Amino acid sequence: MEPRSKLRKVIAFCLLLSLFGMVAFGYFCPDQVCALSQRERISEPLALTYSESLGRPLPEVIAQPGLSYDEVLHDDFRFDLNAHDVMVFLHIQKTGGTSFGRHLVMDLDLKRPCNCQRARKRCHCFRPHSNEIWLFSRYSTGWKCGLHADFTELTACVGGELDRHEGSAVHRRYFYITLLREPVARYLSEYRHVKRGATWKGSRHWCQGRTATAYEVPSCYMGDSWRGVTLEEFMSCPWNLANNRQTRMLADLALVGCYNGTLRHRTTDSDRVLLASAKRNLAAMAYFGLTEYQKKSQYVFEETFNLLFAVPFTQHNATVSGATLAALSPAQVARIQQLNSLDLELYDFAKNLMFKRCAYDCTLSRCKNANMTECK
């Protein structure tokens, strides 16, 4: 009987020790380990309290998709064409991305320039000593993550697509880049493009493992296109994707329930979360440029990546959207500004940040770049 009694005591002691360990682990365990997953925690209703401080970065629980500007400069993470670094271009409609995309594949001074085929409008941008891709963009890889894929789509797609394309899983460093444009001018440019018959029907609107439904992203028109639409009709559609397009395409849409929380069920809280997310993601990107400041944009790119363009960027001050804007009434301009209020704040944030980066790059390089006068 005595050995059995001792065994019971040992078992009881082990059970008590296990129970104590579970309680202690739950009490002392860090939130990032024991709490909900990153995405689940942010999706909680309380996550909307992030909106209390507009413009502040969201908590670090959101995974950063690639190397940031600060890391590239301060930690000497230079873009390395000979390694496994990939530049990912997030192309927002009507921001000058087509011209910039062509600069990337045709005008960079590289040891092994991109090989462009005019008939296919596609370029092979390979590393100097291998056939691995260093540029993920419309003109190099095509729309592999969907037509004008946004931040949410690209961060969930790029790695897998490159693995499939190259036939193997490789540990890569991603350098996200994008362009922004003054919101009223961009909106009017998109309006005129849609008026001519553009639709972007190939966009997937992918978020959290699925495409948005027709209920979540309703069409603003009947038929094949919105050709001939008037500006009043364009502004009147409550779920027009042109509204605040830049903020939406730079934000992590999962934070607000994807498209269900950005169009039909849009609230003040969800708007603030989107804006805060867009600002954070933009600031964390390795590079962004502004359409209205071509020389500054070129200078910051060249200093950030230590790559030079063979031709200078061209500043087009006279644009079709500018002529359209001049013909609008004050009430129409005010309405466009209201529809793009998030983009207006995002652009102000981006402009201020880019000017700081430009000045800082000039200080580091002693303004030796040909565009140095733009940043002094």
Side-chain angles (χ1 to χ4, degrees), residues 46 67 105 135-136 144 148 194 210 234 246 253 279 281 363:
L46 290 178
L67 291 178
V105 298
L135 175 64
F136 194 96
K144 286 191 174 294
H148 286 285
V194 170
R210 67 176 181 84
F234 192 76
Q246 296 177 103
L253 300 183
K279 287 181 178 180
N281 293 336
T363 302

Side-chain angles (χ1 to χ4, degrees), residues 264-283:
R264 281 194 179 274
H265 304 292
R266 178 183 171 189
T267 66
T268 300
D269 282 337
S270 64
D271 278 357
R272 289 176 176 174
V273 170
L274 279 178
L275 180 59
S277 176
K279 287 181 178 180
R280 179 194 185 279
N281 293 336
L282 183 70

